[in-house]
Each structure stands twice: as structure tokens, then as C-alpha cells.
Amino acid sequence: MDCLKKSSLFSLPFFLLYFSIILSFNNGVNASHKVFPGLQSTSAVDVKNVHRTRYHFQPPKNWINDPNAPMYFNGVYHLFYQYNPYGSVWGNIVWAHSVSTDLINWIPLEPAIYPSKVFDKYGTWSGSATILPNNKPIILYTGIVDAKNTQVQNYAIPADLSDPFLRKWIKPDNNPLIDADVNINKTQFRDPTTCWLGQDGYWRTLIGSLWGNKGMAILYKSRDLMKWTKVQQPLHSVDGTGNWECPDFFPVLLRGTNGLDASYKGKNIKYVLKVSLDVTRFEYYTVGIYDTKKDMYIPDKTSIDGWKGLRLDYGNYYASKSFYDPSKNRRIVWGWANESDTVNDDVKKGWAGIQTIPRKVWLDSSGKQLVQWPVEELESLRGHKIQLSNRKLNKGDKIEVKGITPAQADVEVIFSFSSLDKAEPFDPNWANLYAQDVCAIKGSTVQGGLGPFGLLTLASQNLEEYTPVFFRVFNAQDKYKVLMCSDASRSTLENAKTMYKPSFAGYVDVDLTNKTLSLRSLIDHSVVESFGAGGKTCITSRVYPTLAIYDNAHLFVFNNGTETIKIESLNAWSMGKPKMNWSFGHSSY
């Protein structure tokens, strides 16, 4: 979403006013479902492809948002997602449906769910899929029943289980399954999670909501998935966070990278609760324990609950959804990256929104945070490869990476340094700032000690435009702090006043004993997805260069710190384009 800079230097009233003003500009982003009546059915006359991604998932035109209910069923991956068949802004939302056998090459199908019944006449919003023990899938989704935005929870089932692609879905007439009671805000009551089966034989699901300004995950129980009862207290809630959207709740192993089904009942596990915050348009998660007797989730003391907590991605990433993949015993998370230009820009170019590359996710060995990494299938798109190794970068040096397609590439690099002595002091005044505020202050051109060093992606030859992804190491008295930035502030010469060009950043919890840092960046024309320290910190940026496009894009490795940096190894690949046949998909409903 159009994530915003936040600083503790603001007083609370000014801070809230600041947020309300900035969010009103919206930048074409609609987690809160802002309606543009005059635009939502405006078809593109001429779809512009200059900034379209090539190996990220996006349909040929029109608006997309949340990946609703990704699932693996009988050898096929299913991706359902919010889609506007008639325009490139939010509206007319249906559940578009595509299938794949490898998460990379997709076949689009007709919409699986669309407004057609009294219980979803005004909208079919996000939800989740659950594979039941009898190997039958069921989808829970949010329906909008009236013009007042009243939200209920419905279900849908496949019309024909023998169809390998599950093309048709039925919405039985006993919907809705769950109505909001008098103690729930009926207009902020949405996005049911994947169901899990408790030891007591009851199924459970969470629904995102709020009470006052307290965000909450409301818990419901059912013996048969048809009759649901609200548990007295929410599974978890936090004051001052605003509405919770797209909650996700799943177990993770304390050791190893394997994933777990949502109903797993074994030992040596933790639980993860992820929520998308409608106010900040960021996603936050905590790691903790699930008290099955009290039906309560308790975050660990090392997990901050709220706006300063951990994020799945510190950039342009929202409404993510995870699922368990039994074929490879892994959990995969999928997110949505909206556009960072204006609504008018989206209408002109005829499309808006992409899905990020699906990521395998697991618990770090520290037990404090998640680790994410692009699914291994992505490597099938790697083409021509170039390598660099044992190359030194002194202060001010930059080396161009030649021989690949810099606008469409996968780059992995390991940096090393001989000493931490030149790490600059961490200013105590930054202690209450967000990482992206520090990145805005100490950008890629501000000379440091140990850093800034990293990649200049989607760069023009003379650096009029570039998106740097870099590290900077600070000495914070008794420890070192590693800042990772993906800075869009110099990414384009166009729309300087209206384009959203933030300095995204997060801190990397990494042991620097071996004095190395790794970085992987997936570059795809208007998106740069980056993974620091093997996936401990992830940042997605959307950028729109005017000079650094197609063959005029360049890639550099740079160092603007006084400490010499060594490129231990750099592997970069030109990336191919998946096979997608859109000729028969997305028919009108």
C-alpha cells in the first residue's frame, strides 16, 4: 500500500492528522476499498506496457489486489485474487482464478466467485481456502450485503471435484454462515482465515475487525463448518492499531525450514499472527504461543505488538496470505504490491497491481522472527548468467554489472569487510524513529563509515535515475545495527510532486561475526523485491523510471563508505518470462 513515513517526533494529534491527510491522496491504493464511481468501469483504450512486469504475476490489464485463497489441491496450485474486469481502479470486484503446476507458469480461468446472491450482492471480498480431511476444499469469503457496506462471511465449494482445475464454484443458499453481532462493527468485519481443527474436534477461523481503535482477530468455532459460534474473547487484540485486515494465523517449527498445516497438533512449535493494518497500509506479525485451552494467542516478549513490530516486508507489500504446500512440505506466503503512481496514471496505462513472487517462509533459528525466500521454482526462469568475485570497492567506487538484462534480472551478492571499526555511531535521537526515517536521513549518497554499500538497480547510464538497495552498519554502543534500505526517492524523473517515492527500510537482525552481508534483488521493470541476510529482512519497491527502461537500464554495485568492501561473489541472471495464456481467462460475469 502507499505506506507512509512515521516519526515519534510527531505529537499524537498531529500524527493522526498527518496520516489522515496523506492517506486521503490514496495513490491508487485501496485496502480500505475506496470507490471511484466514475472510473471503476473505464476500460483501457491503449494499455501501456513500459512498466509492466514480466515474471511477476499480473493480468494483461485492469486492477488487481489481494491474493485471496492460494491453495494446493490434487497437484495443482490455485491462485484466487481480487480483480476488476472492467477497469484499472478498485471496483466491480470478482475472485479471479488462475492455476499452475509450478507457481510460475499460470493458466487463467473464468472468475470463481462474483456478486450474484443476496448475501454478496454488493461485493465478494477476501477470504481463505481450507482443505478438509476428506480432501475437499472449501472457501470462506466476505460478502457485502447492502449499500451500507454490511459485511458477512460466506462459503463456496467446487461444483465438480473431478475437474482438475476446479473451474466452477457453488455458493449454497444457506449463506451467510457468520453475521456480525451487536458488539461488532459490521462495516469492519472481514477476511476469514484458513480454518484449523482443534483437539476438541471444533473448527476455528479468525475474522479481522476493530472495536473503537482496537484491532482484533475475532475467533469463531464450529463442529461442522456450517454453524459458527463466536468465542467470548478475541484470539488477540491490540489497542491503538486501527482495523485489522487479512489476518493470517499458522504454526511454525522451532527448528528447520519445513512448513506445517494449519491444524498441526505436534510439539516444538510456535505460532505466527499476521495482520494488515488499514491505517498504516503495512503488515505486521508477532511470534508467540497459542493457548488452546483458553483459545488465546500470546506474543513472545521479544515480539513487539503494534506499529513498531516486525513486518513481513518493509516496503510496498500488503494483504498477504499464506498456505501450506504438502507437495514440498513448505509454507508459502503471497503478497500484493500496488502501484505507487496516481489513480489517473493507472487509468491511462490500463492496469494496476501485481502479485509478488511467492515466498517460502519459516521461523529463524533464533525463534524471534520469520525468514522468507523466493520459491525455488523461480530459478527455472534464470537465463544468461554472469559472475563477479573477489572485487574490491573503495570509497566512491561503482562497478557496472554487464552481460545480463538489468531491467529483468535476479541478482545474488555476498559482501564482506575486514573490520567493524568504521561503523558510524547510531544517533540516540534516531532510537524512536522508524527505519525508513533513518534511511531518508542517511541515504545512499551520504558518505558513511561501513556503508552505504549495495546495488544501484534500474539505473540510467549517468545516474539521473536509480533505485539503490543497500546496507549501512551503525555502532549502537553495545551492539551493531544493520540498516537495509530500498530507496525510491531518485527512481524516476517523472511526476516529482505526485509520485510516491519513499525511502523504505528495515533493520536486519544478523550476526556480523564473519563480517559478511548477503543481498538478493529481483528486478522486474517496475518492481524491486529485495531479501537481506538470506531473507531476514525483505523490502519491495515499486518504481517507474523514464530513462532506465528496457535496454537503457543499468545495474551497478557501489560503496559510499570509507571502509573498503569486497564483493565475495556476485551471481546475476537475465530472467525469462513465464508461459501464460490469457486468451480465455477473465470473462465478464
Side-chain angles (χ1 to χ4, degrees):
M1 303 300 292
D2 48 350
C3 314
L4 308 170
K5 296 179 182 177
K6 302 177 289 294
S7 169
S8 61
L9 299 178
F10 295 125
S11 65
L12 183 59
F14 180 79
F15 178 74
L16 294 176
L17 175 62
Y18 171 82
F19 256 101
S20 65
I21 293 173
I22 295 297
L23 284 174
S24 68
F25 286 104
N26 199 15
N27 289 331
V29 180
N30 290 292
S32 54
H33 312 292
K34 185 173 181 180
V35 179
F36 299 89
L39 298 176
Q40 66 186 25
S41 297
T42 302
S43 298
V45 176
D46 180 23
V47 175
K48 296 183 179 180
N49 293 321
V50 65
H51 292 128
R52 283 183 59 81
T53 62
R54 298 303 189 270
Y55 62 91
H56 283 71
F57 183 97
Q58 65 176 133
K61 62 181 180 179
N62 297 341
W63 166 278
I64 67 170
N65 58 290
D66 311 9
N68 291 315
M71 70 176 187
Y72 179 87
F73 181 70
N74 288 353
V76 176
Y77 294 100
H78 295 257
L79 174 61
F80 305 92
Y81 57 96
Q82 303 272 275
Y83 175 71
N84 180 354
Y86 302 130
S88 55
V89 301
W90 186 87
N92 309 309
I93 293 298
V94 304
W95 276 48
H97 183 197
S98 292
V99 293
S100 172
T101 57
D102 61 6
L103 291 169
I104 301 299
N105 299 284
W106 292 91
I107 300 172
L109 306 174
E110 58 270 24
I113 300 173
Y114 47 87
S116 64
K117 298 288 188 77
V118 64
F119 48 78
D120 64 11
K121 180 179 179 181
Y122 287 82
T124 53
W125 291 3
S126 295
S128 302
T130 303
I131 309 298
L132 302 180
N134 59 3
N135 197 37
K136 292 182 179 180
I138 182 173
I139 284 174
L140 296 186
Y141 71 97
T142 297
I144 312 302
V145 301
D146 57 32
K148 296 179 181 179
N149 199 27
T150 300
Q151 297 164 20
V152 299
Q153 314 313 318
N154 303 318
Y155 79 106
I157 55 177
D160 181 7
L161 284 172
S162 67
D163 175 5
F165 290 169
L166 303 179
R167 291 175 173 86
K168 301 293 184 181
W169 289 76
I170 299 170
K171 300 181 293 184
D173 289 335
N174 63 326
N175 278 305
L177 295 182
I178 303 175
D179 289 295
D181 63 28
V182 294
N183 296 315
I184 296 174
N185 184 333
K186 295 183 179 181
T187 66
Q188 307 286 349
F189 179 61
R190 54 182 176 264
D191 310 333
T193 65
T194 296
C195 304
W196 71 95
L197 186 61
Q199 295 179 355
D200 58 1
Y202 281 84
W203 289 95
R204 289 161 172 80
T205 188
L206 301 177
I207 299 171
S209 189
L210 86 163
W211 184 256
N213 197 35
K214 176 187 289 188
M216 60 178 59
I218 304 174
L219 180 63
Y220 286 82
K221 295 173 61 174
S222 174
R223 177 71 74 175
D224 60 2
L225 292 168
M226 294 293 106
K227 296 180 180 179
W228 292 86
T229 302
K230 189 180 77 169
V231 176
Q232 184 174 2
Q233 76 281 344
L235 182 85
H236 191 56
S237 61
V238 179
D239 284 322
T241 57
N243 186 42
W244 285 5
E245 294 189 305
C246 304
D248 203 3
F249 187 61
F250 54 89
V252 287
L253 287 169
L254 288 176
R255 296 288 181 269
T257 66
N258 286 343
L260 298 172
D261 181 80
S263 298
Y264 181 79
K265 301 180 178 65
K267 298 180 180 179
N268 300 317
I269 63 173
K270 290 279 190 177
Y271 276 81
V272 173
L273 177 63
K274 186 278 304 184
V275 296
S276 305
L277 294 193
D278 200 14
V279 176
T280 66
R281 308 296 170 82
F282 285 132
E283 297 208 301
Y284 303 78
Y285 75 89
T286 53
V287 178
I289 61 172
Y290 173 33
D291 187 330
T292 57
K293 293 182 179 179
K294 296 181 179 179
D295 261 329
M296 295 187 67
Y297 168 75
I298 303 98
D300 290 345
K301 292 182 180 179
T302 54
S303 273
I304 298 174
D305 222 352
W307 289 7
K308 286 203 170 181
L310 293 167
R311 301 181 198 166
L312 283 181
D313 191 296
Y314 289 81
N316 195 331
Y317 185 95
Y318 197 74
S320 70
K321 184 64 191 173
S322 74
F323 72 101
Y324 174 63
D325 176 9
S327 70
K328 294 193 174 181
N329 200 16
R330 59 186 174 177
R331 179 161 289 273
I332 294 172
V333 64
W334 224 324
W336 163 52
N338 68 282
E339 305 304 310
S340 291
D341 53 8
T342 67
V343 170
N344 288 335
D345 289 330
D346 294 342
V347 172
K348 289 177 182 178
K349 69 177 186 276
W351 55 271
I354 65 170
Q355 309 296 0
T356 59
I357 297 299
R359 305 169 180 177
K360 179 178 176 178
V361 60
W362 65 94
L363 187 66
D364 180 62
S365 58
S366 69
K368 296 179 181 180
Q369 69 165 98
L370 295 176
V371 179
Q372 301 166 78
W373 199 248
V375 293
E376 61 188 37
E377 290 89 339
L378 180 66
E379 296 172 15
S380 67
L381 296 179
R382 287 174 170 174
H384 184 69
K385 177 183 179 182
I386 64 97
Q387 294 177 288
L388 297 175
S389 63
N390 197 28
R391 300 284 295 271
K392 289 186 177 181
L393 290 167
N394 295 315
K395 182 184 70 173
D397 284 352
K398 70 177 187 296
I399 296 175
E400 184 166 5
V401 180
K402 297 182 178 180
I404 59 165
T405 54
Q408 192 171 319
D410 184 355
V411 185
E412 294 186 358
V413 58
I414 298 175
F415 298 101
S416 69
F417 38 90
S418 60
S419 172
L420 290 162
D421 293 344
K422 293 182 181 179
E424 58 198 297
F426 186 80
D427 190 331
N429 293 322
W430 300 340
N432 292 320
L433 295 181
Y434 289 83
Q436 67 184 53
D437 295 319
V438 179
C439 179
I441 297 169
K442 306 288 281 188
S444 63
T445 61
V446 180
Q447 179 181 305
L450 184 46
F453 61 87
L455 300 173
L456 302 178
T457 72
L458 296 174
S460 58
Q461 180 66 61
N462 297 317
L463 298 185
E464 298 94 339
E465 297 177 332
Y466 59 95
T467 300
V469 184
F470 62 94
F471 296 111
R472 199 171 194 124
V473 182
F474 295 99
N475 188 339
Q477 297 181 345
D478 60 338
K479 64 178 181 180
Y480 293 97
K481 290 179 74 73
V482 178
L483 180 71
M484 176 179 165
C485 298
S486 182
D487 186 0
S489 62
R490 299 170 186 258
S491 61
T492 181
L493 298 177
E494 190 174 339
N495 293 334
K497 293 183 179 180
T498 59
M499 189 77 71
Y500 180 55
K501 301 189 291 184
S503 302
F504 287 133
Y507 291 108
V508 188
D509 186 5
V510 61
D511 184 358
L512 293 178
T513 301
N514 63 359
K515 300 181 180 61
T516 62
L517 280 168
S518 68
L519 175 65
R520 182 179 182 184
S521 287
L522 304 177
I523 306 162
D524 195 3
H525 297 275
S526 66
V527 60
V528 182
E529 275 191 83
S530 298
F531 303 81
K536 286 192 170 186
T537 298
C538 308
I539 308 176
T540 299
S541 289
R542 297 301 310 278
V543 295
Y544 311 92
T546 60
L547 302 176
I549 59 174
Y550 300 133
D551 293 340
N552 291 322
H554 298 265
L555 174 67
F556 300 91
V557 193
F558 80 99
N559 175 31
N560 279 335
T562 56
E563 174 69 36
T564 297
I565 300 299
K566 181 190 288 186
I567 302 172
E568 290 288 338
S569 65
L570 183 149
N571 297 300
W573 296 265
S574 295
M575 293 296 282
K577 186 177 179 181
K579 298 176 182 177
M580 298 186 190
N581 180 4
W582 295 100
S583 61
F584 60 94
H586 299 314
S587 59
S588 299
Y589 61 87

